[in-house]
Amino acid sequence: MSDTIAIIGDRFMLPSMFADRIAAACGNGVKIRSLEQPWPDQPMEHGYADYPLERLKEFMGDPDEVAAFIGDAAMLVTHLAPVSRAMLERLPNLKFIAVSFIAVSRGGPVNIDMQAARDHSVLVVNTPGRNASAVAEFTIGAILAETRLIRAGHEAMRVGEWRGDLYRADRTGRELGEMTVGVIGYGAIGSRVVKLLKAFGCRLLVADPYVQISAQDRSDGIEHVALDALLDRADVITLHARVTPETTGFIGREALARTRKGAIFINTARGPMVDYDALYEALASGQLGGAMLDTFAVEPVPPDWPLLRLPNVTLTPHIAGASVHTVTIAADQAAEEVRRFLAGEPPLNPC
């Protein structure tokens, strides 16, 4: 069996970063070959609506080209490269995959066929929480951009309009300390968002049926509530759940109709959890006062997408998790998993 490590990175998770960290962790004697994919300059494939590659939900790269590059390597370290059942049939030497991609379902990384990996005795590890700090910080910025009218003021000035009316008592923004913020999903990112929001003194609601809040959270006044209660009470709703069959489209007409009139909606998680037709209607009607969206069901979004024309929406191109620190954390975690595999030690983060 070859002891070669195949690295497939891209222009965010640089192959050289992986290679340098692996060499530092394992010694310069390891055999490494690297491939750089063109993401994010070119979009990845999305398989939420249909499945272009054996039920893989997000990935980058032609499977034949990826399989040919991996070749006889025993180990793969990747960000977005797909690994399907058909590919594994062609890769009998492959025994280990380290994935740094942030999109993970309850079944494992969405660019890997986990059942096929188990059937072929391939160990898959990931780098959990690598972007939790980046997304949490971005979320706080997104909330403030909406609640303090930063977007509205900026867009007006860009076209030469001085919005002095934004200082009027009936139009000006609100401070977080007087608001209730509802956090949907209380994993690595949602819990970090709550930690940061505590400093603002806002009332905090958490909806996640799979977790229990800590005694410290309860002492700090955080309430663990059902989703409907959160939607009923929150002035700001921020989404941090994972895409699963039960969460796909769950922010739809019924959920949005429950929200408080004028509430703000933030999505830095994943697009398929939101019914965008329903979201458009809620924003256009004023049921929602505004929204900040970083992720979408289809990426890139179509140029004629209706939400692009609404004045009460801030849109960014799926960049909440992008930071230099994220790259460093992921590379270090992947390198440690490679070292442990080569040393015969148990993995830290098996999928």
Side-chain angles (χ1 to χ4, degrees):
M1 181 179 71
S2 168
D3 59 354
T4 299
I5 303 170
I7 297 175
I8 305 179
D10 48 56
R11 295 168 188 169
F12 175 59
M13 289 303 310
L14 299 171
S16 59
M17 180 72 80
F18 281 130
D20 290 347
R21 292 301 199 274
I22 290 170
C26 305
N28 291 319
V30 294
K31 300 175 184 177
I32 293 174
R33 58 171 173 261
S34 298
L35 175 68
E36 181 176 290
Q37 295 181 319
W39 188 85
D41 296 332
Q42 295 181 21
M44 70 178 82
E45 296 283 347
H46 286 78
Y48 288 105
D50 53 24
Y51 296 94
L53 184 57
E54 299 180 42
R55 303 188 66 82
L56 303 190
K57 293 179 178 177
E58 299 180 29
F59 62 91
M60 160 63 75
D62 178 83
D64 291 333
E65 294 175 1
V66 170
F69 175 78
I70 297 170
D72 64 350
M75 291 168 280
L76 170 65
V77 177
T78 188
H79 185 210
L80 294 173
V83 180
S84 66
R85 182 176 294 275
M87 292 171 66
L88 286 169
E89 297 287 348
R90 300 168 53 184
L91 301 168
N93 288 340
L94 189 63
K95 299 301 178 187
F96 170 90
I97 303 172
V99 186
S100 67
F101 192 24
I102 59 175
V104 177
S105 70
R106 289 194 174 91
V110 293
N111 55 326
I112 309 293
D113 186 330
M114 287 299 300
Q115 184 58 56
R118 286 187 285 270
D119 292 345
H120 287 79
S121 300
V122 177
L123 172 65
V124 181
V125 301
N126 68 349
T127 57
R130 65 158 184 141
N131 70 338
S133 178
V135 176
E137 286 188 6
F138 190 96
T139 299
I140 301 303
I143 292 171
L144 292 172
E146 296 304 306
T147 58
R148 299 304 308 278
L149 309 183
I150 294 170
R151 169 189 41 79
H154 167 76
E155 290 186 355
M157 293 195 69
R158 290 271 292 182
V159 297
E161 181 182 0
W162 181 267
R163 290 288 306 275
D165 63 306
L166 296 181
Y167 218 109
R168 286 175 41 161
D170 61 342
R171 295 187 185 178
T172 196
R174 297 178 62 191
E175 296 182 23
L176 281 175
E178 60 167 328
M179 302 176 80
T180 298
V181 179
V183 179
I184 303 174
Y186 203 52
I189 295 172
S191 59
R192 186 71 63 94
V193 170
V194 166
K195 181 179 179 180
L196 294 176
L197 284 171
K198 287 179 182 180
F200 289 89
C202 49
R203 294 176 294 278
L204 288 163
L205 310 177
V206 170
D208 190 328
Y210 297 97
V211 302
Q212 295 296 324
I213 63 174
S214 67
Q216 183 61 56
D217 281 344
R218 290 192 294 273
S219 176
D220 290 340
I222 297 168
E223 294 182 59
H224 192 194
V225 299
L227 177 62
D228 284 351
L230 183 149
L231 296 172
D232 288 341
R233 296 171 56 191
D235 300 298
V236 176
I237 300 161
T238 179
L239 183 57
H240 302 286
R242 292 175 175 175
V243 178
T244 68
E246 65 187 316
T247 64
T248 298
F250 83 129
I251 304 299
R253 285 183 175 84
E254 183 177 346
L256 293 169
R258 294 193 68 100
T259 60
R260 301 185 70 172
K261 182 78 169 179
I264 303 296
F265 177 69
I266 310 291
N267 185 11
T268 57
R270 275 298 184 277
M273 291 184 284
V274 180
D275 178 336
Y276 284 94
D277 291 338
L279 180 63
Y280 177 88
E281 293 168 7
L283 287 161
S285 69
Q287 175 65 26
L288 287 179
M292 194 288 165
L293 309 174
D294 183 59
T295 60
F296 311 92
V298 176
E299 297 180 0
V301 298
D304 61 348
W305 198 42
L307 277 165
L308 293 171
R309 299 193 295 270
L310 286 179
N312 55 343
V313 182
T314 301
L315 305 167
T316 50
H318 202 151
I319 57 174
S323 75
V324 174
H325 191 50
T326 293
V327 177
T328 303
I329 293 171
D332 284 340
Q333 289 180 335
E336 174 59 15
E337 294 287 10
V338 169
R339 185 200 68 75
R340 296 176 75 88
F341 181 76
L342 290 172
E345 300 174 14
L348 294 175
N349 297 296
C351 296

